Amino acid sequence: MPGEDLLGGPPETLLPDEPTPREALATGVDPATVAASHPTSSLAWAELADRAFEAGDVVTSYAFARTGYHRGLDQLRRAGWKGHGPIPWEHEPNRGFLRALHALGRAAESIGEAEEAERCAQFLRDSSPTAAGELL
């Protein structure tokens, strides 16, 4: 059975697919437009956070990342997540949340919030070693 941990750990959390915002972003629709149309999409907020960070606007990146992170936490809880356990990168719908988590840590580090940056990095490593390898 997928997600079953024979050692007794929590099961994987797999977020439901959100094809409309994902496809819009993949075809080049501005992430701001996608976020305005689909404000629950962590992926859209992560894209906005990345764009702001690349432009040198780390405070805006932090705000976008925090929004995507919290939207993702809401979705995780609705999907049965109990505050810990695997959130696999390999399941594409999880990537928006994981990217927002990474972006939040990166922006936190850039504004001198070292404790928050470390918490985010540890949360990412605990949630998905693959994501940590891809993003950190």
Side-chain angles (χ1 to χ4, degrees):
M1 168 180 280
E4 184 178 4
D5 183 340
L6 299 176
L7 299 177
E12 294 178 337
T13 301
L14 305 177
L15 292 174
D17 192 17
E18 294 182 307
T20 304
R22 181 177 37 80
E23 291 167 5
L25 291 165
T27 61
V29 176
D30 187 325
T33 300
V34 177
S37 299
H38 304 279
T40 63
S41 172
S42 289
L43 182 59
W45 294 107
E47 292 274 342
L48 286 168
D50 287 348
R51 184 169 72 180
F53 191 84
E54 289 166 10
D57 189 353
V58 296
V59 172
T60 299
S61 178
Y62 182 90
F64 286 144
R66 183 159 290 287
T67 301
Y69 167 78
H70 281 288
R71 293 300 189 146
L73 287 177
D74 292 343
Q75 291 174 341
L76 286 166
R77 288 181 187 113
R78 282 193 298 277
W81 185 71
K82 303 293 186 210
H84 64 284
I87 306 167
W89 174 263
E90 294 80 3
H91 181 66
E92 188 173 351
N94 289 351
R95 290 183 183 185
F97 169 74
L98 295 166
R99 286 183 54 199
L101 174 59
H102 168 258
L104 180 59
R106 176 185 62 200
E109 183 175 20
S110 293
I111 63 171
E113 288 284 335
E115 287 180 22
E116 182 173 26
E118 182 49 40
R119 277 193 307 271
C120 290
Q122 188 62 54
F123 186 6
L124 187 63
R125 287 188 295 272
D126 292 346
S127 299
S128 174
T130 304
E134 292 282 329
L135 300 171
L136 292 177

